[in-house]
Amino acid sequence: MSNIKALPLLEPEVDQGVVPCCPPLTERPLTAEEAERTAAMFKALGDPVRLRLFSLVASHEGGEACVCDISDVGVSQPTVSHHLKKLKEAGLLSSERRGTWVYYRVEPSVMAAMGQMLTAAAPAA
Amino acid sequence: MSNIKALPLLEPEVDQGVVPCCPPLTERPLTAEEAERTAAMFKALGDPVRLRLFSLVASHEGGEACVCDISDVGVSQPTVSHHLKKLKEAGLLSSERRGTWVYYRVEPSVMAAMGQMLTAAAPAA
């Protein structure tokens, strides 16, 4: 017998697509659970290389890009792949393998939800 | 004589108020410099406790709060102060001392600029 209990895992949920979360940050305080879920997305954009890669994918022709489309970011292709995977794990990108390459695409609903959290009406008066 | 050159420092600029940066992420790739500057703000919101504190300040009556207004986040007052300082360093909050307490207030222009980066029109077609 063991006392070890299964802890809830966040990853699977995130991988299946993130449910856009939470009202504008000026509307009401986030609950601990909401903050936990959302901070992971902000954190994913909190690295300069990753943020730049995200903007490369987001602004690429057709709204998607593979590692083969990305150069000039000053890091190796494996590093690019690693960062793209992290962005996917955070729910910000989705991916699809086509032939040799995995193509990444922004999740517009997630991006919009994050944007909405920040684009508040006026702060509480 | 020395070959050491002064590197540009980002911190002082950030402390004096952040100049809103960068177009929507779907418009064009960020430059390395833009990504460096902006990632710091996303990173500041990339911690669950910090994000929750930010939402507490942002949604507090009058749009400002001091440590004395904040409880129930499950961390000590010094930890709250530490996180609020980090948010200030990232340019997301400004502060003002009044008597015993330092009051923090969201920087609406910075929040709006971050929101705008995420609230893109349609992805590049």
Side-chain angles (χ1 to χ4, degrees):
Chain A
M1 271 205 289
S2 157
N3 280 326
I4 298 170
K5 288 184 189 166
L7 286 171
L9 292 172
L10 286 173
E11 285 76 8
E13 189 184 333
V14 165
D15 265 330
Q16 286 159 26
V18 174
V19 182
C21 155
C22 316
L25 293 173
T26 53
E27 200 172 295
R28 63 158 174 80
L30 297 182
T31 66
E33 202 185 338
E34 288 170 341
E36 194 77 44
R37 198 200 305 186
T38 318
M41 300 181 204
F42 285 114
K43 191 177 176 184
L45 297 181
D47 174 274
V49 174
R50 211 146 56 213
L51 180 59
R52 209 168 160 212
L53 287 170
F54 184 75
S55 74
L56 272 159
V57 173
S59 63
H60 200 261
E61 216 182 308
E64 64 173 17
C66 72
V67 175
C68 59
D69 293 318
I70 294 169
S71 56
D72 292 334
V73 285
V75 295
S76 68
Q77 217 172 70
T79 303
V80 170
S81 289
H82 166 80
H83 281 307
L84 292 176
K85 242 180 238 170
K86 288 275 169 194
L87 287 164
K88 190 190 164 188
E89 281 165 19
L92 294 168
L93 295 179
S94 59
S95 71
E96 191 190 336
R97 178 173 285 281
R98 291 208 292 276
T100 316
W101 300 104
V102 178
Y103 286 80
Y104 289 91
R105 168 176 285 282
V106 294
E107 284 289 344
S109 63
V110 176
M111 219 173 129
M114 288 175 80
Q116 203 186 357
M117 286 177 75
L118 295 166
T119 314
Chain B
M1 271 202 291
S2 158
N3 279 326
I4 298 169
K5 288 182 189 167
L7 288 171
L9 292 173
L10 286 173
E11 286 74 7
E13 190 185 334
V14 163
D15 265 331
Q16 286 159 27
V18 174
V19 182
C21 156
C22 314
L25 292 173
T26 52
E27 199 173 297
R28 63 158 175 79
L30 297 182
T31 66
E33 202 184 337
E34 288 170 342
E36 194 76 42
R37 197 200 306 186
T38 318
M41 299 181 206
F42 286 115
K43 192 177 175 184
L45 298 181
D47 174 272
V49 174
R50 212 146 56 213
L51 180 60
R52 209 169 160 212
L53 287 171
F54 184 76
S55 75
L56 273 160
V57 173
S59 64
H60 199 261
E61 214 182 312
E64 65 173 17
C66 72
V67 175
C68 60
D69 293 319
I70 293 169
S71 57
D72 291 335
V73 286
V75 294
S76 68
Q77 217 173 68
T79 303
V80 170
S81 289
H82 166 80
H83 282 306
L84 292 176
K85 245 183 233 166
K86 288 276 169 194
L87 287 164
K88 190 193 164 186
E89 280 164 20
L92 294 169
L93 295 179
S94 59
S95 71
E96 192 189 338
R97 178 174 285 282
R98 291 207 293 276
T100 315
W101 299 104
V102 178
Y103 285 80
Y104 290 90
R105 168 176 286 281
V106 292
E107 284 288 344
S109 63
V110 175
M111 218 174 129
M114 288 176 79
Q116 202 184 358
M117 287 179 74
L118 294 167
T119 314

